[in-house]
Amino acid sequence: MLKIGEFARVGQVSIATLRHYDQLGLLKPSALDLESSYRYYSLDQLPRLNRILALKDLGFPLEQIAQLLEESLPLEVLYGMFRLKQAQTQQIIDTEQARLARIAARLRQIEQEENMPDYEVRLKQVDSLLVASTRGLVALGSNFVEPRARLQSYLEQQEIAHSGPDMLLWYSRHEAREDGLYADVEFSTPLRKLLPGNEHITVHTLPEHLMACTVFTGDVLASGQAFAVLHRWLDDNSYRLVGPPRQIYLQGLHQDASVVEVQFPVGR
């Protein structure tokens, strides 16, 4: 038998919490000294305390916790509920970390507004290119994990090695959803020979085109700056965009040290 203070230390709760649970009938002391009014608890009561704390972390009110304990909630059910809550909490953390990263990028963008990097823009003729690609609405900032995985799975099924570099084609359609902005993108990888497609992968040829191009090294912020430079160059040189911009990953993919070429199909 442990005094209330000792049991509180073992259970890692406050004495006030144990007294509150006693008042609600959630966790009554095993014994009460009538002369000293000391509350005594048994170590056998720890599992019940742990269940109360776990259900509280899951967001259940104390009144509902009392009902669940009376129903003798099986351990496997409690464990499943806790794992679900753990996954939901991790998703919230991931979302907020992504938000922090976007805020940091925007702050850097504001700081650099008057010091736009001096990207070199040049015109070049790009040959037609046979590619395997997957297209759809993808959440911005998602690193395009799903389309990359689909293409990699396709290459493995065809038993061919990845020849790279990978490419993104940006189409004009966007869609705002509750969890963020989605863009219509085509994720492609070059092929050395014609292969059959499937329900997820299209094999086709990107047409040859005159391209206004620039190369940047860095993160998503640098990507936005490169696009801004190219749009300004089009305005200054009497060109217009006549197709989806291409983003070619010469080295790395969505890493701070990635080297990326942006190509704008242009015409007069």
Side-chain angles (χ1 to χ4, degrees), residues 36-55:
S36 64
S37 297
Y38 283 163
R39 293 175 172 87
Y40 290 92
Y41 291 83
S42 167
L43 289 175
D44 292 339
Q45 292 179 281
L46 270 177
R48 184 178 179 90
L49 175 60
N50 289 333
R51 281 167 171 73
I52 294 171
L53 297 175
L55 290 168

Side-chain angles (χ1 to χ4, degrees), residues 224-236 239 241 245 264:
Q225 291 171 337
F227 272 70
V229 166
L230 282 170
H231 278 292
R232 290 195 182 107
W233 186 92
L234 296 185
D235 289 339
D236 294 341
Y239 280 94
L241 188 65
F264 275 21

Side-chain angles (χ1 to χ4, degrees), residues 130-254:
L130 181 66
V131 297
S133 66
T134 178
R135 179 178 172 181
L137 287 172
V138 179
L140 294 181
S142 65
N143 288 346
F144 308 102
V145 174
E146 291 185 9
R148 288 163 56 191
R150 284 197 293 269
L151 271 179
Q152 184 60 40
S153 175
Y154 169 78
L155 294 177
E156 291 173 356
Q157 290 173 2
Q158 298 295 325
E159 298 182 346
I160 61 173
H162 181 272
S163 59
D166 292 317
M167 178 191 309
L168 273 178
L169 280 77
W170 295 89
Y171 295 89
S172 58
R173 186 166 66 106
H174 289 75
E175 185 176 301
R177 300 180 182 176
E178 291 184 359
D179 57 344
L181 184 64
Y182 283 68
D184 183 4
V185 298
E186 180 181 348
F187 194 85
S188 304
T189 193
L191 294 177
R192 292 193 175 95
K193 61 180 181 179
L194 185 63
L195 296 172
N198 59 34
E199 58 179 332
H200 300 296
I201 303 299
T202 301
V203 175
H204 65 109
T205 300
L206 296 176
E208 62 177 338
H209 232 298
L210 179 65
M211 298 285 190
C213 310
T214 192
V215 175
F216 71 88
T217 300
D219 54 12
V220 176
L221 173 60
S223 170
Q225 291 171 337
F227 272 70
V229 166
L230 282 170
H231 278 292
R232 290 195 182 107
W233 186 92
L234 296 185
D235 289 339
D236 294 341
N237 292 273
S238 300
Y239 280 94
R240 61 187 178 88
L241 188 65
V242 295
R246 303 179 186 181
Q247 195 163 318
I248 302 166
Y249 295 92
L250 304 176
Q251 177 180 311
L253 182 59
H254 292 283

Side-chain angles (χ1 to χ4, degrees), residues 113-141:
E113 282 178 350
E114 298 181 358
N115 299 295
M116 183 68 73
D118 186 19
Y119 291 109
E120 178 186 358
V121 179
R122 62 191 181 93
L123 282 173
K124 69 177 181 180
Q125 189 70 32
V126 173
D127 294 334
S128 60
L129 181 66
L130 181 66
V131 297
S133 66
T134 178
R135 179 178 172 181
L137 287 172
V138 179
L140 294 181

